[in-house]
Amino acid sequence: MRINHNIQALNAYKNLSQTMGQTSKTLEKLSSGLRINRAADDAAGLAISEKMRSQIRGLETAERNSLDAISLIQTAEGALNETHSILQRMRELSVQAANGTLEDSDREAIQKEINQLTYEIDRIADTTQFNTKKLLSGSAEGRPFAEVNSSEVSYASNGTWSGVVTAEPTEPAQVEIQFDKNLGSLTKAQLEGKTFTINGKIYEIDNTDGTSQGITGRNIAVNISGWIDNVGTSDANITSNITKLMNALESAVIQNDSQMFNVNKNLPTNAGTANDGVINNGTLTLSTTSPMSPKDVQDLGSLNQINTTITSGVTFNNPLTNTSTTTLVANPEAAQAKPIAITFSEVPKAGDTLKIDGLTISFDSPAISYSNGSATIDVTNKDLDEVLNDIDSIITQASNDNPTPVPALAPVHSVSNNSLILGTTKTDDGISPIGLPTNGLDIALIDGDFEADKGKELEVALQIGANASESLSLSLGVMDAATLGIARNADFSILSTAGVNAVVGVNVSNSEAAQLAITAFDKAISLVSAERSKLGAFQNRLEHTVTNLQTANENLTSAESRIRDTDMAKSMTEYTKNNILNQAGQAMLAQANQLPQGILQLLK
């Protein structure tokens, strides 16, 4: 017998330790529900099940992707449903306009509704989005990076939108007729038969008896009575004569040209002593009844010419500059700036350009600071807010540039959301010399790749499987008015450039045009029907895809469960067995620990 080594106790301890280890693993399986909690539990099973888990989670995500794609299709198809309704209404209006019982005014009302409905089709195509992705206006490369909310700016060609925005005139055109003391000193004979030419009409002075209708019989009479021939040095006589002529001319203009002019009168006054010859001029101001721009005045042609055959005492004056003139003059500056918004749909790309009067902003790399009317903005890794703030900063520099600020830009400009707000106080003066236009705010927007990509359908790649290359391509057609063939330019010529909004709708101004409009709307309805049919078929396909993904996910999850999940009944049986062995092992270890006590009997 030995006391240094209790072999029986060591053996009992070893077996007890193994049993307790098995019990611990069984408890872990029972508490987690997993058969494999670590690689050591089943190395091969772990590798297989992890690969299955990748597939399962991929299938779940692909199912969500497919459902998102269905939602995208439903969004587009819902918008096209409204487009269909609009086209049906437009066709109905065309059939109505083709009826010979209508008058031109009736068709004009129909044309207005067709125009508005055409604009709405363009708006639907421009604004229908899913997760900010525009669905019905083609590929992103086939849309301009910004749009100008003014009909004065329109598509030219080669990806260029240009035009001149002008403010509405807020003042009438004017001319001052100034009568000085020399006029009041003339005799009847010197005035007799003299003329004023105003608005193309000849006003002829009759200073004999004040009753004639113009000496020539063709002109408008300016009848003066009581003219003082020998005024001498009397300031009172001079001012009296001037007053009589001004009153007579005023009456004649009001009687014969009141639709064109309002007349304002400041009579002459004695500025000094009674007979010192110092007299304040009399002024007769002719103002047009309607506000006018310089271009409006220019369009009057010869009617805006003002002159007289009186050689002394009468001058025509420009009230804006207090200088001599022979024509009506209009203020080129409006009282308030006309606002205009340039709304950006995306960050400009390299090669795009924005021109504002004498300012040219290029988007490229590297950035170049503002100098002499131009600047370059580096758009690399910039968001839209940063780019808009850069543009606003450059406009501020250009507006304050000395001596050549941007000529037509209003003092106020700002950034609001994704829009650049500009304005101009310049009315249309009709002057467009080579170089800088001066008749308003010149806007040009150049999209470098628009022309090459216009009209391209939107391609959406859908990941509908758990693995690479398991994708599907969805094509969404351009559904704006131009693509549907119902967009027109201002002269009713066909506007066929996709991505460019219509100026007016299809012409229904007469019966023949309305007949052609019916055909045009039939074709448009057919195009929308084909697109909706395509989207509906695609949705049906995706619904089957979703069902297939759900089935594959279910079966693969079942297979992974068989590898990874624990069999609770089997594990509970194992746990019960190990629990009994633990109790037996503990009892045997206690007995083995008592065996060395027998040595004490030998030592007595």
mmCIF file of all heavy atoms in Angstrom, residues 61-87:
data_model
loop_
_atom_site.group_PDB
_atom_site.id
_atom_site.type_symbol
_atom_site.label_atom_id
_atom_site.label_comp_id
_atom_site.label_asym_id
_atom_site.label_seq_id
_atom_site.Cartn_x
_atom_site.Cartn_y
_atom_site.Cartn_z
ATOM 1 N N THR A 61 -31.973 39.694 -48.204
ATOM 2 C CA THR A 61 -31.750 41.030 -48.753
ATOM 3 C C THR A 61 -32.250 41.123 -50.193
ATOM 4 O O THR A 61 -32.840 42.131 -50.597
ATOM 5 C CB THR A 61 -30.253 41.386 -48.692
ATOM 6 O OG1 THR A 61 -29.792 41.270 -47.340
ATOM 7 C CG2 THR A 61 -30.010 42.799 -49.185
ATOM 8 N N ALA A 62 -32.019 40.059 -50.968
ATOM 9 C CA ALA A 62 -32.499 40.052 -52.352
ATOM 10 C C ALA A 62 -34.018 40.134 -52.394
ATOM 11 O O ALA A 62 -34.597 40.780 -53.280
ATOM 12 C CB ALA A 62 -32.018 38.786 -53.060
ATOM 13 N N GLU A 63 -34.671 39.495 -51.434
ATOM 14 C CA GLU A 63 -36.130 39.585 -51.359
ATOM 15 C C GLU A 63 -36.566 41.020 -51.103
ATOM 16 O O GLU A 63 -37.495 41.530 -51.737
ATOM 17 C CB GLU A 63 -36.636 38.664 -50.242
ATOM 18 C CG GLU A 63 -38.151 38.677 -50.089
ATOM 19 C CD GLU A 63 -38.618 37.854 -48.901
ATOM 20 O OE1 GLU A 63 -37.829 37.020 -48.405
ATOM 21 O OE2 GLU A 63 -39.762 38.068 -48.454
ATOM 22 N N ARG A 64 -35.869 41.715 -50.169
ATOM 23 C CA ARG A 64 -36.192 43.117 -49.908
ATOM 24 C C ARG A 64 -35.913 43.968 -51.149
ATOM 25 O O ARG A 64 -36.671 44.893 -51.471
ATOM 26 C CB ARG A 64 -35.395 43.633 -48.715
ATOM 27 C CG ARG A 64 -35.845 43.065 -47.377
ATOM 28 C CD ARG A 64 -35.329 43.906 -46.219
ATOM 29 N NE ARG A 64 -33.876 43.983 -46.215
ATOM 30 C CZ ARG A 64 -33.075 43.127 -45.597
ATOM 31 N NH1 ARG A 64 -33.600 42.094 -44.944
ATOM 32 N NH2 ARG A 64 -31.769 43.269 -45.628
ATOM 33 N N ASN A 65 -34.799 43.668 -51.825
ATOM 34 C CA ASN A 65 -34.478 44.401 -53.057
ATOM 35 C C ASN A 65 -35.601 44.268 -54.082
ATOM 36 O O ASN A 65 -35.998 45.235 -54.742
ATOM 37 C CB ASN A 65 -33.175 43.891 -53.661
ATOM 38 C CG ASN A 65 -31.953 44.275 -52.853
ATOM 39 O OD1 ASN A 65 -32.044 45.096 -51.939
ATOM 40 N ND2 ASN A 65 -30.823 43.683 -53.174
ATOM 41 N N SER A 66 -36.094 43.054 -54.225
ATOM 42 C CA SER A 66 -37.156 42.806 -55.203
ATOM 43 C C SER A 66 -38.432 43.538 -54.827
ATOM 44 O O SER A 66 -39.130 44.085 -55.692
ATOM 45 C CB SER A 66 -37.416 41.303 -55.326
ATOM 46 O OG SER A 66 -36.253 40.622 -55.749
ATOM 47 N N LEU A 67 -38.737 43.547 -53.531
ATOM 48 C CA LEU A 67 -39.921 44.269 -53.081
ATOM 49 C C LEU A 67 -39.764 45.771 -53.303
ATOM 50 O O LEU A 67 -40.726 46.468 -53.668
ATOM 51 C CB LEU A 67 -40.191 43.966 -51.606
ATOM 52 C CG LEU A 67 -40.649 42.532 -51.300
ATOM 53 C CD1 LEU A 67 -40.676 42.278 -49.799
ATOM 54 C CD2 LEU A 67 -42.023 42.274 -51.910
ATOM 55 N N ASP A 68 -38.529 46.299 -53.083
ATOM 56 C CA ASP A 68 -38.265 47.714 -53.367
ATOM 57 C C ASP A 68 -38.442 48.002 -54.857
ATOM 58 O O ASP A 68 -38.963 49.052 -55.243
ATOM 59 C CB ASP A 68 -36.846 48.095 -52.934
ATOM 60 C CG ASP A 68 -36.714 48.198 -51.423
ATOM 61 O OD1 ASP A 68 -37.744 48.294 -50.739
ATOM 62 O OD2 ASP A 68 -35.569 48.184 -50.930
ATOM 63 N N ALA A 69 -37.985 47.069 -55.683
ATOM 64 C CA ALA A 69 -38.135 47.242 -57.134
ATOM 65 C C ALA A 69 -39.605 47.268 -57.524
ATOM 66 O O ALA A 69 -40.014 48.051 -58.391
ATOM 67 C CB ALA A 69 -37.403 46.120 -57.870
ATOM 68 N N ILE A 70 -40.399 46.420 -56.873
ATOM 69 C CA ILE A 70 -41.841 46.433 -57.140
ATOM 70 C C ILE A 70 -42.437 47.781 -56.749
ATOM 71 O O ILE A 70 -43.260 48.353 -57.477
ATOM 72 C CB ILE A 70 -42.534 45.282 -56.386
ATOM 73 C CG1 ILE A 70 -42.137 43.930 -57.008
ATOM 74 C CG2 ILE A 70 -44.051 45.446 -56.404
ATOM 75 C CD1 ILE A 70 -42.654 42.731 -56.251
ATOM 76 N N SER A 71 -41.998 48.322 -55.607
ATOM 77 C CA SER A 71 -42.484 49.638 -55.182
ATOM 78 C C SER A 71 -42.073 50.712 -56.181
ATOM 79 O O SER A 71 -42.852 51.626 -56.482
ATOM 80 C CB SER A 71 -41.928 49.981 -53.794
ATOM 81 O OG SER A 71 -42.392 49.064 -52.828
ATOM 82 N N LEU A 72 -40.845 50.624 -56.695
ATOM 83 C CA LEU A 72 -40.384 51.581 -57.709
ATOM 84 C C LEU A 72 -41.269 51.515 -58.950
ATOM 85 O O LEU A 72 -41.691 52.545 -59.492
ATOM 86 C CB LEU A 72 -38.923 51.301 -58.057
ATOM 87 C CG LEU A 72 -38.238 52.214 -59.078
ATOM 88 C CD1 LEU A 72 -36.760 52.360 -58.750
ATOM 89 C CD2 LEU A 72 -38.383 51.680 -60.505
ATOM 90 N N ILE A 73 -41.544 50.290 -59.394
ATOM 91 C CA ILE A 73 -42.392 50.115 -60.585
ATOM 92 C C ILE A 73 -43.788 50.659 -60.332
ATOM 93 O O ILE A 73 -44.380 51.330 -61.189
ATOM 94 C CB ILE A 73 -42.437 48.631 -60.975
ATOM 95 C CG1 ILE A 73 -41.080 48.193 -61.543
ATOM 96 C CG2 ILE A 73 -43.543 48.366 -61.996
ATOM 97 C CD1 ILE A 73 -40.973 46.708 -61.776
ATOM 98 N N GLN A 74 -44.320 50.391 -59.145
ATOM 99 C CA GLN A 74 -45.659 50.887 -58.824
ATOM 100 C C GLN A 74 -45.697 52.408 -58.800
ATOM 101 O O GLN A 74 -46.687 53.018 -59.214
ATOM 102 C CB GLN A 74 -46.116 50.317 -57.481
ATOM 103 C CG GLN A 74 -46.424 48.823 -57.530
ATOM 104 C CD GLN A 74 -46.693 48.243 -56.156
ATOM 105 O OE1 GLN A 74 -46.214 48.762 -55.133
ATOM 106 N NE2 GLN A 74 -47.453 47.154 -56.110
ATOM 107 N N THR A 75 -44.600 53.035 -58.331
ATOM 108 C CA THR A 75 -44.525 54.500 -58.329
ATOM 109 C C THR A 75 -44.557 55.038 -59.754
ATOM 110 O O THR A 75 -45.303 55.974 -60.077
ATOM 111 C CB THR A 75 -43.252 54.969 -57.621
ATOM 112 O OG1 THR A 75 -43.234 54.478 -56.280
ATOM 113 C CG2 THR A 75 -43.160 56.489 -57.607
ATOM 114 N N ALA A 76 -43.724 54.447 -60.623
ATOM 115 C CA ALA A 76 -43.673 54.897 -62.022
ATOM 116 C C ALA A 76 -44.998 54.634 -62.724
ATOM 117 O O ALA A 76 -45.518 55.489 -63.448
ATOM 118 C CB ALA A 76 -42.524 54.191 -62.749
ATOM 119 N N GLU A 77 -45.550 53.444 -62.493
ATOM 120 C CA GLU A 77 -46.792 53.076 -63.174
ATOM 121 C C GLU A 77 -47.955 53.936 -62.693
ATOM 122 O O GLU A 77 -48.843 54.314 -63.465
ATOM 123 C CB GLU A 77 -47.079 51.593 -62.938
ATOM 124 C CG GLU A 77 -48.006 50.961 -63.973
ATOM 125 C CD GLU A 77 -49.459 51.048 -63.553
ATOM 126 O OE1 GLU A 77 -49.710 51.062 -62.339
ATOM 127 O OE2 GLU A 77 -50.323 51.118 -64.435
ATOM 128 N N GLY A 78 -47.928 54.294 -61.406
ATOM 129 C CA GLY A 78 -48.971 55.174 -60.890
ATOM 130 C C GLY A 78 -48.919 56.550 -61.521
ATOM 131 O O GLY A 78 -49.954 57.152 -61.825
ATOM 132 N N ALA A 79 -47.691 57.067 -61.729
ATOM 133 C CA ALA A 79 -47.550 58.362 -62.397
ATOM 134 C C ALA A 79 -48.039 58.283 -63.843
ATOM 135 O O ALA A 79 -48.711 59.198 -64.343
ATOM 136 C CB ALA A 79 -46.097 58.815 -62.343
ATOM 137 N N LEU A 80 -47.706 57.179 -64.509
ATOM 138 C CA LEU A 80 -48.138 57.022 -65.898
ATOM 139 C C LEU A 80 -49.650 56.838 -66.002
ATOM 140 O O LEU A 80 -50.246 57.165 -67.031
ATOM 141 C CB LEU A 80 -47.417 55.840 -66.533
ATOM 142 C CG LEU A 80 -45.928 56.038 -66.793
ATOM 143 C CD1 LEU A 80 -45.326 54.791 -67.415
ATOM 144 C CD2 LEU A 80 -45.694 57.238 -67.701
ATOM 145 N N ASN A 81 -50.247 56.318 -64.944
ATOM 146 C CA ASN A 81 -51.708 56.228 -64.925
ATOM 147 C C ASN A 81 -52.317 57.628 -65.043
ATOM 148 O O ASN A 81 -53.291 57.842 -65.773
ATOM 149 C CB ASN A 81 -52.173 55.551 -63.634
ATOM 150 C CG ASN A 81 -53.683 55.469 -63.541
ATOM 151 O OD1 ASN A 81 -54.350 54.979 -64.434
ATOM 152 N ND2 ASN A 81 -54.233 55.972 -62.436
ATOM 153 N N GLU A 82 -51.712 58.596 -64.331
ATOM 154 C CA GLU A 82 -52.205 59.970 -64.415
ATOM 155 C C GLU A 82 -51.887 60.570 -65.782
ATOM 156 O O GLU A 82 -52.686 61.330 -66.338
ATOM 157 C CB GLU A 82 -51.590 60.816 -63.292
ATOM 158 C CG GLU A 82 -52.325 62.122 -63.036
ATOM 159 C CD GLU A 82 -53.780 61.899 -62.684
ATOM 160 O OE1 GLU A 82 -54.086 60.906 -61.991
ATOM 161 O OE2 GLU A 82 -54.612 62.716 -63.127
ATOM 162 N N THR A 83 -50.718 60.227 -66.336
ATOM 163 C CA THR A 83 -50.384 60.685 -67.689
ATOM 164 C C THR A 83 -51.409 60.162 -68.692
ATOM 165 O O THR A 83 -51.835 60.880 -69.599
ATOM 166 C CB THR A 83 -48.971 60.213 -68.072
ATOM 167 O OG1 THR A 83 -48.019 60.771 -67.158
ATOM 168 C CG2 THR A 83 -48.610 60.649 -69.475
ATOM 169 N N HIS A 84 -51.795 58.917 -68.526
ATOM 170 C CA HIS A 84 -52.829 58.333 -69.386
ATOM 171 C C HIS A 84 -54.122 59.136 -69.294
ATOM 172 O O HIS A 84 -54.754 59.457 -70.320
ATOM 173 C CB HIS A 84 -53.096 56.891 -68.974
ATOM 174 C CG HIS A 84 -52.719 55.900 -70.031
ATOM 175 N ND1 HIS A 84 -52.433 54.586 -69.764
ATOM 176 C CD2 HIS A 84 -52.575 56.028 -71.374
ATOM 177 C CE1 HIS A 84 -52.128 53.959 -70.890
ATOM 178 N NE2 HIS A 84 -52.205 54.817 -71.873
ATOM 179 N N SER A 85 -54.518 59.468 -68.077
ATOM 180 C CA SER A 85 -55.763 60.226 -67.890
ATOM 181 C C SER A 85 -55.674 61.588 -68.574
ATOM 182 O O SER A 85 -56.644 62.050 -69.199
ATOM 183 C CB SER A 85 -56.038 60.409 -66.392
ATOM 184 O OG SER A 85 -56.225 59.169 -65.754
ATOM 185 N N ILE A 86 -54.510 62.226 -68.458
ATOM 186 C CA ILE A 86 -54.319 63.538 -69.086
ATOM 187 C C ILE A 86 -54.404 63.414 -70.601
ATOM 188 O O ILE A 86 -55.052 64.227 -71.278
ATOM 189 C CB ILE A 86 -52.969 64.140 -68.658
ATOM 190 C CG1 ILE A 86 -52.992 64.505 -67.172
ATOM 191 C CG2 ILE A 86 -52.630 65.371 -69.492
ATOM 192 C CD1 ILE A 86 -51.652 64.926 -66.616
ATOM 193 N N LEU A 87 -53.756 62.394 -71.157
ATOM 194 C CA LEU A 87 -53.774 62.213 -72.608
ATOM 195 C C LEU A 87 -55.192 61.928 -73.112
ATOM 196 O O LEU A 87 -55.586 62.403 -74.192
ATOM 197 C CB LEU A 87 -52.834 61.078 -73.004
ATOM 198 C CG LEU A 87 -51.335 61.374 -72.869
ATOM 199 C CD1 LEU A 87 -50.520 60.107 -73.083
ATOM 200 C CD2 LEU A 87 -50.911 62.447 -73.868
#
